[in-house]
Amino acid sequence: MPPPPPPGMTLCRLPTATLGLPLSLPCLLSRPRLSLAARRARAVAARASSSSSSSSPDSSFGSRMEESVKKTVADNPVVIYSKSWCSYSMEVKALFKRIGVQPHVIELDHLGAQGPQLQKVLERLTGQSTVPNVFIGGKHVGGCTDTVKLHRKGELASMLSDLDIDINNS
């Protein structure tokens, strides 16, 4: 039995349907789970602060980050927002490597203070708070499980083919 996670962290495991990585590889999430009441309070506070100070430097910074994400996704056929230590991110990067596709990878944990801010921008844009956060052809496709499902159904190959990207059929 593995040791319990540090206080405030959640321990998660890979899904049973993996692409060859060990099933026991843990992935510590960067945020503790909040109660429903705490999430609602946080959402109310966020709405109040965003409506009262929409021209603040933070708001401007968030807008610039949002525009940067949109430009990155538009300029690159395959984009993965990732964390280098996350097993789910490793799984998706390994999948693309195996099929011979070179995605544009942004490692959020290598960006210093901008990493968590960028992750919040991604959550606002996609509704997904976790990594990997995968975009193909400018379209958000989801995370690891979503990308693996697309691959298994042959839809990932179709999406990449529509972008004139050849893949290895392995």
Side-chain angles (χ1 to χ4, degrees), residues 66-81 102-106 135-139 163 165:
E66 190 171 313
E67 290 307 312
S68 173
V69 167
K70 289 177 180 177
K71 181 171 177 21
T72 299
V73 167
D75 291 350
N76 297 280
V78 180
V79 178
I80 302 172
Y81 288 90
Q102 291 268 332
H104 182 76
V105 177
I106 294 111
F135 295 82
I136 299 174
K139 178 182 176 225
L163 298 170
I165 299 173

Side-chain angles (χ1 to χ4, degrees), residues 30-104:
S30 60
R31 293 189 338 206
R33 299 255 180 203
L34 296 176
S35 69
L36 181 58
R39 287 192 308 251
R40 284 183 181 153
R42 183 180 276 182
V44 168
R47 280 194 300 270
S49 69
S50 70
S51 64
S52 66
S53 61
S54 60
S55 62
S56 73
D58 287 344
S59 174
S60 163
F61 181 72
S63 296
R64 287 194 309 266
M65 287 188 99
E66 190 171 313
E67 290 307 312
S68 173
V69 167
K70 289 177 180 177
K71 181 171 177 21
T72 299
V73 167
D75 291 350
N76 297 280
V78 180
V79 178
I80 302 172
Y81 288 90
S82 168
K83 289 185 180 171
S84 61
W85 50 262
C86 176
S87 58
Y88 292 102
S89 295
M90 289 181 222
E91 185 78 14
V92 167
K93 292 181 283 188
L95 166 63
F96 281 104
K97 183 176 183 176
R98 201 175 80 233
I99 64 173
V101 174
Q102 291 268 332
H104 182 76

